Amino acid sequence: MSETDQARFSLLRHSGLLEPEARASFQRFARLASSLLHMPTALITLLDENRQVFLSQCGMSEPWQSRCETPLEYSYCQSLLLEPGPLVVEDSLKDQRFRDHPGRQKLSIGAYAGVPLRVNNLVLGALCVIDSQGHKFDQTHLDLLNDLADSVVSEIRLRLTAQALEHSQAHLTALLHQAPLGVFELCDQTGTVRHGNPMAGRMLGH
């Protein structure tokens, strides 16, 4: 396993993006991609060690829709780990790269267009659209996909920033709890003590 793969897996796990509760914040993106590009299926995929996980999905067939994932070997998106993207497949049957790909039949992929989701110089997955039939894509389609992918990446970055701030706050709180000095938080208007660390409490007789 490469260092890049290890870094990707670590970021995905620590971010919580692989957990079901993360999906609510991203579900709108698959709906938008499907609607704007007039494609029956749209996905935000995250490339884990041996599976692709759907962070957002619209129009996926069963049983994959309920499972919210597929084996990694079915994923066209994993090709974006090696190519800068976008990846465009207008007809899988006529494309030598994907004619014998296991995902073509398992996921009914006729046409595919996907762009990578790049965070901290790591490709975490892709935003893609799929049709069971062949489909022509033009630059307008790819521009829309790139714009939506940028929005997805911004949402991921916001999540990571919030987690970092929460971690920093917890660390600061632990340090203040153990500090040998009294630390108070006062109400600006009344001067009332809102919070204090244990030393502050002892100083005030509480």
Side-chain angles (χ1 to χ4, degrees):
M1 183 186 301
S2 70
E3 291 184 3
T4 299
D5 287 339
Q6 290 178 350
R8 181 174 77 256
F9 302 149
S10 177
L11 193 154
L12 286 174
R13 285 170 174 77
H14 285 93
S15 68
L17 289 168
L18 298 174
E19 303 303 321
E21 53 268 22
R23 297 171 194 152
S25 300
F26 295 89
Q27 191 56 40
R28 68 188 185 279
F29 293 111
R31 293 197 301 266
L32 282 170
S34 175
S35 177
L36 290 173
L37 277 77
H38 306 290
M39 295 288 282
T41 302
L43 303 170
I44 296 175
T45 64
L46 300 174
L47 302 173
D48 198 11
E49 190 167 358
N50 55 15
R51 58 181 180 152
Q52 65 170 356
V53 176
F54 302 152
L55 183 60
S56 177
Q57 60 174 311
C58 178
M60 196 61 184
S61 60
E62 294 292 356
W64 318 114
Q65 183 181 59
S66 297
R67 295 178 183 176
C68 292
E69 64 178 66
T70 75
L72 186 61
E73 63 181 5
Y74 295 172
S75 171
Y76 279 29
C77 298
Q78 66 176 322
S79 298
L80 290 166
L81 296 174
L82 303 176
E83 301 177 13
L87 173 63
V88 176
V89 183
E90 294 188 337
D91 191 332
S92 291
L93 278 174
K94 297 179 180 179
D95 193 312
Q96 293 184 354
R97 298 170 298 173
F98 296 96
R99 182 183 304 162
D100 299 320
H101 194 286
R104 183 182 68 80
Q105 288 188 329
K106 294 292 185 179
L107 305 183
S108 300
I109 302 176
Y112 169 101
V115 293
L117 301 174
R118 193 180 299 275
V119 178
N120 299 341
N121 293 321
L122 297 171
V123 175
L124 301 186
L127 170 63
C128 65
V129 290
I130 297 170
D131 196 334
S132 60
Q133 308 297 319
H135 187 91
K136 291 287 186 181
F137 296 99
D138 58 30
Q139 191 58 46
T140 300
H141 295 135
L142 300 181
D143 289 343
L144 284 170
L145 274 180
N146 277 308
D147 287 345
L148 286 172
D150 287 344
S151 296
V152 173
V153 168
S154 294
E155 189 79 17
I156 292 174
R157 290 187 185 279
L158 182 62
R159 180 185 181 90
L160 295 175
T161 299
Q163 288 178 333
L165 288 172
E166 184 178 344
H167 177 77
S168 295
Q169 182 63 42
H171 182 64
L172 178 60
T173 298
L175 289 176
L176 291 176
H177 186 81
Q178 301 173 26
L181 301 175
V183 180
F184 303 91
E185 180 185 349
L186 302 178
C187 175
D188 292 339
Q189 295 180 345
T190 66
T192 303
V193 176
R194 287 178 168 175
H195 301 288
N197 65 351
M199 179 59 74
R202 288 194 289 273
M203 291 171 64
L204 295 176
H206 291 284

